[in-house]
Amino acid sequence: MDNFLQSTVIDNQVLNDKFRLIKFKLDGKLWSFKPGQFVIFKIAPKIFRDYSIYSLPEELPFWEILLDVTPNGPGCKYLSKLKNGDKIETSVPMGSFFVNNRKPGNFILVATGCGFAPTKCMASQLFKDKKNKVSVLWGLRHVTDIFPNGISQAEIVLSKPDKNWSGKTGHVTDHLEAIVQKFPAKKTGVYVCGNSTLISDVSRILQSYGVPSKNIHFEQYYSGMEIA
């Protein structure tokens, strides 16, 4: 792949045992993006990995990604070792997973794990307009996976909670029906970021309540790609 642009590492912050927040600054040529889009990182000459942008467009030339270190693959190993001042190469932002509607509306955002990166970015944008009705569900395993994220309205669901957890438990799909019933089905946009099972289950539940399939937008975790 050609036309990669360079950024400098500004900070590589450990949030907890699962997540890191890595901050970069664009070098030279600037790009723009829509909340929800991703960039392709050049990990090695023939290895590339995709990561959604966690920060907001107005923060440019600084930008961030949320990294889940637990898969421990080539991308995780490369990014987790980055130090302040290191240079990285990425594509310009890509993808069609973003909110197109500029008018106030109804939105349900569902994410698991690191799928919260584009979700947080879109939610931050949507909550700026007080006329929007927005609900955010974020699924994690453990209470120790939680970190301050700027979206106080997000409802966190833990699949493996400890005895002191008083919030929602199970899976995000266990709590989706209660939420969708509060929204006008045919006038609600839904954005889902997680694995294929999550997307399938969320779509099935929402469509059973009358949400049109065209209103359901999704982004799957990128497992990365190796290009010869």
Side-chain angles (χ1 to χ4, degrees):
M1 298 186 69
D2 299 320
N3 301 320
F4 274 72
L5 301 177
Q6 185 173 271
S7 291
T8 300
V9 179
I10 301 299
D11 192 23
N12 193 338
Q13 179 185 1
V14 176
L15 299 175
N16 50 44
D17 290 341
K18 183 177 179 65
F19 295 116
R20 287 184 179 227
L21 184 64
I22 308 179
K23 185 174 184 177
F24 308 93
K25 182 180 180 182
L26 290 167
D27 296 342
K29 183 179 179 181
L30 301 183
W31 37 249
S32 60
F33 69 95
K34 297 179 180 180
Q37 290 189 303
F38 67 93
V39 294
I40 301 174
F41 279 77
K42 187 175 183 180
I43 304 300
K46 296 182 180 181
I47 301 178
F48 303 86
R49 292 293 185 269
D50 309 338
Y51 291 92
S52 295
I53 302 172
Y54 183 78
S55 51
L56 297 174
E58 54 263 36
E59 297 175 50
L60 291 171
F62 299 97
W63 59 283
E64 298 170 328
I65 64 166
L66 180 66
L67 176 69
D68 181 352
V69 300
T70 56
N72 202 33
C76 298
K77 292 178 180 178
Y78 169 79
L79 291 167
S80 63
K81 293 178 181 178
L82 290 174
K83 303 180 297 295
N84 293 3
D86 285 348
K87 305 291 184 179
I88 56 98
E89 289 184 287
T90 72
S91 69
V92 297
M94 306 172 68
S96 57
F97 186 60
F98 52 79
V99 179
N100 264 324
N101 188 0
R102 296 184 179 181
K103 298 180 180 180
N106 308 289
F107 303 93
I108 299 174
L109 282 63
V110 184
T112 54
C114 214
F116 186 66
T119 302
K120 177 263 183 183
C121 199
M122 288 189 287
S124 298
Q125 176 191 42
L126 292 171
F127 279 122
K128 288 179 180 179
D129 189 338
K130 302 302 181 182
K131 295 181 181 178
N132 284 331
K133 182 180 179 182
V134 186
S135 183
V136 182
L137 275 177
W138 180 22
L140 293 167
R141 290 184 179 178
H142 309 285
V143 68
T144 52
D145 295 337
I146 301 172
F147 60 88
N149 55 71
I151 306 296
S152 60
Q153 302 93 330
E155 297 183 78
I156 297 174
V157 182
L158 298 184
S159 60
K160 295 183 178 181
D162 62 27
K163 62 182 181 180
N164 297 319
W165 174 251
S166 59
K168 289 180 167 58
T169 61
H171 300 283
V172 290
T173 47
D174 297 332
H175 305 276
L176 187 57
E177 293 186 27
I179 290 175
V180 71
Q181 293 180 67
K182 300 176 183 178
F183 285 78
K186 297 187 182 301
K187 296 181 179 181
T188 297
V190 183
Y191 295 80
V192 190
C193 192
N195 60 35
S196 58
T197 299
L198 174 72
I199 292 170
S200 176
D201 290 346
V202 168
S203 297
R204 173 180 50 78
I205 292 170
L206 293 174
Q207 289 182 63
S208 73
Y209 279 90
V211 178
S213 59
K214 66 178 182 179
N215 289 14
I216 304 172
H217 313 274
F218 56 87
E219 187 74 287
Q220 297 186 31
Y221 286 140
Y222 291 97
S223 59
M225 54 184 176
E226 298 189 9
I227 300 178

